[in-house]
Amino acid sequence: MDGRDQEKIVIHTVTTWVRSHPVLSVLIAVILLALLYKIIVPTPATYEYISAPASKGEVARIVSASGKLRAINTINVGSEISGQVTDVYVDFNTPVTAGQVLARIDPTRIQARVTQARAQVELARATLAQAEAAIIRAQTDYEVQTREYERQKQLADKGFVSRAGIDRAQNALATARASLSTGKAQAQSGRAQIAQSTAELSSAQLDLNRTRIIAPTSGVVINKLVEPGTTVAASFQTPNLFEIAADTSRMQVEASVDEADIGQVRVNQQVRFTVDSYPDDTFGAKVGQIRKSATESQNVVSYLVILNVDNKDGKLLTGMTANVEIVTGTKANVLRIPAQAIRFRPRKDDRPDTEDDDTAKPADKKSGKTGTANIWLASDDPYEPVRRTVTIGLAGEDFVEIVKGLKLNEKVLIRSKSLENEDDDEDEFARGNT
């Protein structure tokens, strides 16, 4: 039996089996066709890589922080006396001038003290006048008794007056001298009483003046803590009644900067920031001061940086939260790529097994020295990217400077995108390394 006969036997056997099992034969045929289609037509990819060209432009290194807006000079206005507030003449956001009356405390009790103290002064003055009149009388009597004593002494020397007469004249002189001393002492006491009463009057008058709460400087009332009828108690400490921002055309941001970034911050560096109230506006500022005292919260150390802000248009208000970006370094018209390209890694299946990502060396932010980084470039095959090691310079939040290893307009991979759901961009860190 030759080969042709064997082939006929096999065909006859298969044909007979197919006729005997039509359903199973169709199923096997479908499976074979599906496998053949799978082999001939490849499965379409479920993702793609997004690239961006290297371009020329500015690279800015940013230190991000957050803080609160404060007035440069905020003054707390309080009361040094206790009493009930009868009148309040200002409200929130009221412009005030130095010396303007802000509120008044009931002066009735203190006015009574002033009247009483003034009466005490007048009484002390009357007492002093009486004492001075008594001194004049005592002085006159003393002079009379002195002359009388001298006459009696001369007569006694001639034998015309007894010793008893001399003694009487001497006693009268001593009494006159004592009366004069008493009068002088009473006058001195009267003067002291006047001084004491005058001091009490001044104190009462000062307290009476303090019932008028006066603005110590010009500015804007940013906080009001009293209303008419409020009782103020100033027994142990001065209660605050108002807060006045002396000059709201100039403000400051108290920004908290992490210890890892504080070494890059310098006085007079440019700053930009936003506030939630105006999300589409960017405001400018300058670093005015770097506080050396550290603040620690939940094991995180930070330093307070004071930023000077121009607020001539009055849009910024005290207490607003500022999202701060301190520009610590800039370079203009340099070759740059998106910062995402430095961090992005393609899928493991698309990377050559021989590639090693451990050769990268980051740039030193503080010294400005260059470093190296591994980036991935698009090739003719979209799923076979090419790795390249480049020298990087200034690294910013959005762009990174390329010093060497890349040409203008060369396309670098920045992320991957799912083709199954157009709204779902794959995360280059979580999925790019799988």
Side-chain angles (χ1 to χ4, degrees):
M1 182 180 298
D2 58 11
R4 180 174 294 180
D5 293 334
Q6 290 180 351
E7 182 178 348
K8 289 181 179 180
I9 294 173
V10 171
I11 293 175
H12 177 73
T13 303
V14 171
T15 303
T16 303
W17 188 89
V18 170
R19 289 176 181 176
S20 302
H21 306 81
V23 177
L24 186 58
S25 300
V26 172
L27 182 59
I28 292 174
V30 170
I31 293 175
L32 291 175
L33 289 174
L35 291 174
L36 183 61
Y37 180 83
K38 188 74 173 179
I39 294 171
I40 297 175
V41 181
T43 303
T46 59
Y47 64 94
E48 67 177 355
Y49 292 119
I50 305 299
S51 63
S55 61
K56 287 276 190 175
E58 182 184 73
V59 176
R61 185 174 60 215
I62 301 297
V63 169
S64 299
S66 63
K68 293 288 185 180
L69 276 158
R70 299 279 187 259
I72 291 180
N73 188 13
T74 301
I75 300 172
N76 293 323
V77 182
S79 172
E80 298 183 58
I81 62 171
S82 301
Q84 187 179 60
V85 177
T86 57
D87 301 287
V88 177
Y89 303 111
V90 296
D91 202 349
F92 292 93
N93 302 327
T94 300
V96 297
T97 57
Q100 180 177 338
V101 179
L102 306 179
R104 189 182 299 274
I105 296 175
D106 184 8
T108 305
R109 178 176 54 83
I110 300 176
Q111 182 64 60
R113 279 182 52 204
V114 171
T115 303
Q116 182 180 7
R118 186 175 288 115
Q120 291 293 332
V121 171
E122 296 300 326
L123 179 60
R125 286 174 178 171
T127 302
L128 176 60
Q130 292 177 352
E132 289 175 343
I135 289 175
I136 294 174
R137 290 194 300 271
Q139 182 69 37
T140 302
D141 186 46
Y142 175 72
E143 291 174 355
V144 171
Q145 294 302 326
T146 299
R147 290 194 297 270
E148 180 63 22
Y149 174 74
E150 292 296 332
R151 285 196 300 269
Q152 292 295 326
K153 186 177 179 182
Q154 290 175 2
L155 292 173
D157 291 341
K158 295 178 180 181
F160 296 113
V161 177
S162 65
R163 186 64 187 174
I166 292 294
D167 291 340
R168 285 194 298 272
Q170 188 174 11
N171 288 337
L173 179 60
T175 300
R177 185 183 294 113
S179 297
L180 180 60
S181 298
T182 301
K184 290 181 178 180
Q186 289 176 347
Q188 185 175 359
S189 175
R191 294 187 188 94
Q193 185 65 36
I194 289 176
Q196 180 180 358
S197 300
T198 302
E200 291 177 356
L201 175 61
S202 298
S203 176
Q205 188 66 54
L206 180 61
D207 286 346
L208 181 62
N209 293 335
R210 286 172 175 169
T211 60
R212 298 163 64 247
I213 308 302
I214 305 297
T217 185
S218 300
V220 177
V221 177
I222 61 175
N223 197 8
K224 183 183 72 169
L225 303 173
V226 291
E227 296 291 344
T230 303
T231 299
V232 176
S235 302
F236 301 103
Q237 61 182 2
T238 301
N240 291 330
L241 307 182
F242 304 93
E243 289 183 16
I244 297 178
D247 184 9
T248 56
S249 65
R250 294 182 301 112
M251 303 185 73
Q252 63 185 22
V253 176
E254 298 177 355
S256 181
V257 178
D258 189 86
E259 63 173 327
D261 298 322
I262 194 65
Q264 305 175 50
V265 181
R266 299 287 184 271
V267 174
N268 291 327
Q269 284 178 337
Q270 295 294 325
V271 180
R272 55 177 181 256
F273 68 93
T274 60
V275 293
D276 295 339
S277 302
Y278 307 103
D280 297 330
D281 294 342
T282 299
F283 300 91
K286 277 189 177 182
V287 176
Q289 187 182 56
I290 303 171
R291 301 278 173 86
K292 296 183 178 180
S293 177
T295 301
E296 184 173 353
S297 177
Q298 298 180 349
N299 295 325
V300 176
V301 178
S302 60
Y303 293 84
L304 196 64
V305 176
I306 306 301
L307 313 176
N308 297 327
V309 181
D310 186 0
N311 188 37
K312 291 182 179 179
D313 56 4
K315 295 176 68 174
L316 298 174
L317 305 177
T318 58
M320 285 183 172
T321 300
N323 304 307
V324 177
E325 292 183 345
I326 304 174
V327 182
T328 60
T330 58
K331 285 188 177 180
N333 197 30
V334 296
L335 186 64
R336 65 181 188 178
I337 60 173
Q340 299 164 275
I342 301 295
R343 302 185 295 266
F344 178 72
R345 297 293 178 271
R347 292 170 176 258
K348 284 188 176 180
D349 294 341
D350 298 336
R351 284 182 276 170
D353 295 337
T354 57
E355 296 288 359
D356 183 6
D357 291 340
D358 295 335
T359 59
K361 180 182 179 183
D364 190 337
K365 291 184 178 180
K366 295 181 180 179
S367 65
K369 293 182 179 179
T370 60
T372 59
N374 295 320
I375 61 173
W376 295 83
L377 278 69
S379 65
D380 294 336
D381 188 333
Y383 299 101
E384 290 186 5
V386 178
R387 194 195 75 162
R388 185 179 298 178
T389 300
V390 295
T391 302
I392 61 175
L394 187 65
E397 185 174 345
D398 299 322
F399 293 96
V400 175
E401 176 194 8
I402 300 299
V403 178
K404 186 172 62 175
L406 194 66
K407 296 180 180 179
L408 185 66
N409 294 327
E410 283 192 287
K411 293 184 177 181
V412 295
L413 303 186
I414 58 174
R415 61 186 175 90
S416 60
K417 179 181 179 180
S418 173
L419 297 177
E420 295 178 344
N421 184 356
E422 293 184 357
D423 295 331
D424 181 20
D425 286 351
E426 294 190 349
D427 185 279
E428 57 265 32
F429 304 108
R431 302 185 188 182
N433 292 310
T434 58

